[in-house]
């Protein structure tokens, strides 16, 4: 009697209590519901439209002075302008600020005093 082909590594793999199941073998990852697949397709279509719009602006023979990328504008705003509204002074940040502001001065002062 001829046996079928040998099982693949994915078929032979059995999770154990020490190692979690890899994402490639997790049915929750690749066995998505129709709603989840539809939402992913909508996000992919939106991303493709935005990418096409940006590429058309970039490759335009008569380009505007500034080509705006909304994602880059949001990132730059979050990086530069939105720092202080999200900062909360805590004992840890105050201590770190004091260490990084006063610490080097004390260190170099002691180093030069001892070096004399």
């Amino acid at each position: 009697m001829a046996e079928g082909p040998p099982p693949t590594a994915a078929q032979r793999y059995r999770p154990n209590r020490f190692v979690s199941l890899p994402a490639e073998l997790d049915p929750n990852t690749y066995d998505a519901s129709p709603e989840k697949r539809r939402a992913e397709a909508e996000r992919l279509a939106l991303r493709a439209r935005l990418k096409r719009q940006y590429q058309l602006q970039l490759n335009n023979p008569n380009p505007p002075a500034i080509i705006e990328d909304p994602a880059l504008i949001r990132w730059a705003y979050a990086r530069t302008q939105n720092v202080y509204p999200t900062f909360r002074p805590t004992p840890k940040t105050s201590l770190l600020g004091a260490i990084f502001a006063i610490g080097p001065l004390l260190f170099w002062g002691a180093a030069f005093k001892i070096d004399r």
Side-chain angles (χ1 to χ4, degrees):
M1 283 212 209
E3 293 183 18
T8 64
Q11 292 169 339
R12 286 187 315 219
Y13 182 83
R14 298 286 177 258
N16 62 32
R17 60 191 173 121
F18 300 114
V19 181
S20 62
L21 190 66
E24 294 83 16
L25 300 177
D26 187 13
N28 295 330
T29 304
Y30 62 81
D31 214 12
S33 65
E35 296 87 21
K36 188 174 179 182
R37 274 189 252 141
R38 190 176 312 111
E40 287 176 1
E42 287 175 8
R43 284 193 295 269
L44 188 63
L46 177 64
R47 185 171 180 228
R49 279 196 307 271
L50 288 172
K51 185 176 180 181
R52 178 169 165 68
Q53 178 186 359
Y54 181 72
Q55 290 292 331
L56 286 173
Q57 287 179 7
L58 191 63
N59 297 318
N60 187 0
N62 300 319
I66 297 174
I67 297 175
E68 293 185 359
D69 184 6
L72 186 61
I73 292 171
R74 284 193 307 269
W75 177 80
Y77 173 76
R79 183 172 175 258
T80 58
Q81 302 297 322
N82 198 21
V83 175
Y84 295 110
T86 57
F87 175 76
R88 293 192 183 113
T90 62
K92 180 181 177 183
T93 57
S94 301
L95 179 65
L96 286 174
I99 288 172
F100 283 107
I102 301 170
L105 296 173
L106 294 176
F107 170 75
W108 288 114
F112 289 136
K113 182 81 169 173
I114 293 170
D115 191 38
R116 270 206 248 166

